[in-house]
Amino acid sequence: MNQIDRLRGSTPAKRHNARTIAALTGNPGCSRRAVLDAAGVDKVALASRVGFPGSFGQSRFALARGNAFEAMLKADDCALLRSVLDVGMIGYHDLGADSDDTLGARHGRTRELLASSVSGLIDHPLLTLELAGRTVFLEPDLIAFQGEGRLRVVEIKSFAIVDGQADAAAVSSAAVQAAVYVLALRALLGEDRVSHEVVLVCPENFSLQPVAVVLDVRKQLATLRRQLSRLSSVSALIEALPESVSFDLALPPSALVSSLAALAARYAPECLSFCEMSVYCRSEASGSTAAFGRSVRESLGGIEEVSVALDLARGLVEPSSEQAEAAALLRQAARLRAEALG
Ligand code: SF4
């Protein structure tokens, strides 16, 4: 058993998907997350086992709305989708239709079709990406063949575009997920055959009428590449961990907490929106200035604890030379606050 598998113990490895790979770009400086992800630890189960369950994933209502929207677009061999994408009468290939639908078989059919000169829309394709030595299967909503031979990824999302505007966080996460598919396609076919422009199809305004928006994901591709290569180098970090560190979910919670303490975390409030460990890490970080986020961490550089920041603001302790600048700002802020309240 290698060190990565030993770290996870008897618990089966958690399978990645585009959503979890996209989340890897959320806090690239966090070693804890990098190690847990590289080892395939089930973070939802781990957080729950140590007493800090969170609620992750889409609500049932959002899932049902998303499924209904996708089914409507794909009905009658993607008739409505073709009109939104403005691709005319190109072919339609459903790779999920065969009865031998093992992951390997479907991936094989996808490779075959992509390598051939057949053109059209590919539904239920299955791609792969190598992640820290493991093969991850990915299911894009659709791949569209372009007339000039370049492929485009089509992402169907159920969040609305109202008056040409959509929730920035939702668009940004859809762009990173689509970039994961572009990366997987490029690994298979080469850079030139896959466009860096992806098509996002969403409901428009307050109806289920679809609208297509083209997104350039070059920036997301660069971030993903950086983060994925960092994940591979995490094995060195894992090799250096003591034998006692294990995330086997059969262990008592106290042992799992000790193992978590061996991995340096970098909690920031944004973690709450993408990381399954966030409720645990927030509790662990309480009392530290870092828990207030990057801007506070940077403004209070050199002051790690909230209690020290408060003592400096009240003039109860002498600042060290690295703390002098932040201490002056804290005293001024305390004076202004006292004036405002007084
Ligand atoms: S919640 Fe914890 S493990 Fe996850 S990214 Fe933030 S600090 Fe790292």
Side-chain angles (χ1 to χ4, degrees):
M1 191 189 283
N2 66 28
Q3 178 76 340
I4 287 185
D5 290 334
R6 195 199 57 72
L7 209 56
R8 208 180 50 250
S10 57
T11 322
K14 180 83 183 145
R15 274 198 10 217
H16 271 290
N17 55 37
R19 192 183 284 268
T20 60
I21 295 175
L24 296 177
T25 59
N27 188 351
C30 178
S31 299
R32 177 176 292 169
R33 186 182 167 103
V35 168
L36 293 176
D37 280 337
V41 173
D42 181 342
K43 298 197 293 304
V44 173
L46 175 61
S48 170
R49 185 93 177 105
V50 295
F52 291 87
S55 54
F56 265 84
Q58 288 180 296
S59 70
R60 252 190 286 165
F61 169 72
L63 275 174
R65 180 180 151 89
N67 289 341
F69 183 59
E70 185 171 338
M72 184 183 85
L73 285 165
K74 289 188 175 178
D76 300 325
D77 291 353
C78 292
L80 182 56
L81 189 60
R82 284 162 196 268
S83 70
V84 185
L85 296 176
D86 199 17
V87 288
M89 285 313 294
I90 59 170
Y92 170 72
H93 313 274
D94 187 353
L95 296 178
D98 285 12
S99 53
D100 69 331
D101 209 11
T102 61
L103 293 178
R106 190 141 62 94
H107 177 55
R109 292 200 295 278
T110 308
R111 286 174 68 115
E112 228 168 83
L113 190 60
L114 289 171
S116 73
S117 53
V118 180
S119 69
L121 291 174
I122 304 181
D123 198 359
H124 298 109
L126 197 69
L127 304 172
T128 57
L129 196 66
E130 292 302 310
L131 195 72
R134 280 199 178 77
T135 302
V136 177
F137 287 98
L138 303 166
E139 292 188 88
D141 286 330
L142 219 90
I143 299 168
F145 275 61
Q146 290 295 91
E148 68 273 23
R150 286 198 108 196
L151 299 171
R152 267 190 178 183
V153 168
V154 179
E155 256 310 83
I156 300 172
K157 292 287 174 198
S158 61
F159 59 83
I161 298 185
V162 181
D163 287 339
Q165 303 286 320
D167 177 58
V171 175
S172 137
S173 122
V176 186
Q177 276 180 50
V180 173
Y181 300 134
V182 172
L183 212 56
L185 273 171
R186 286 186 168 181
L188 185 65
L189 303 166
E191 297 277 314
D192 295 344
R193 274 207 62 203
V194 189
S195 174
H196 56 259
E197 289 187 334
V198 301
V199 186
L200 191 60
V201 180
C202 296
E204 188 170 30
N205 298 329
F206 300 102
S207 68
L208 276 186
Q209 188 58 37
V211 62
V213 184
V214 174
L215 300 177
D216 183 331
V217 296
R218 272 176 289 189
K219 205 172 106 222
Q220 289 81 357
L221 282 169
T223 312
L224 269 171
R225 279 205 184 94
R226 221 177 20 251
Q227 188 55 10
L228 295 187
S229 65
R230 184 171 178 271
L231 206 57
S232 310
S233 67
V234 157
S235 36
L237 200 63
I238 293 176
E239 296 295 330
L241 288 171
E243 284 274 312
S244 56
V245 173
S246 168
F247 297 100
D248 189 330
L249 297 177
L251 289 171
S254 56
L256 295 171
V257 169
S258 307
S259 295
L260 280 169
L263 304 177
R266 206 179 153 85
Y267 177 78
E270 301 85 65
C271 291
L272 291 167
S273 65
F274 63 82
C275 185
E276 298 84 346
M277 294 304 299
S278 54
V279 184
Y280 173 82
C281 294
R282 180 179 59 181
S283 157
E284 183 190 58
S286 70
S288 77
T289 53
F292 294 104
R294 225 157 275 155
S295 65
V296 174
R297 188 205 298 254
E298 278 158 19
S299 306
L300 294 181
I303 303 171
E304 306 278 328
E305 316 257 317
V306 174
S307 57
V308 175
L310 289 174
D311 285 350
L312 287 167
R314 293 180 189 126
L316 298 178
V317 286
E318 270 305 304
S320 64
S321 54
E322 314 91 76
Q323 294 172 337
E325 199 180 321
L329 284 173
L330 282 166
R331 277 198 301 271
Q332 193 184 358
R335 231 182 355 258
L336 289 171
R337 181 174 181 275
E339 273 171 31
L341 292 177

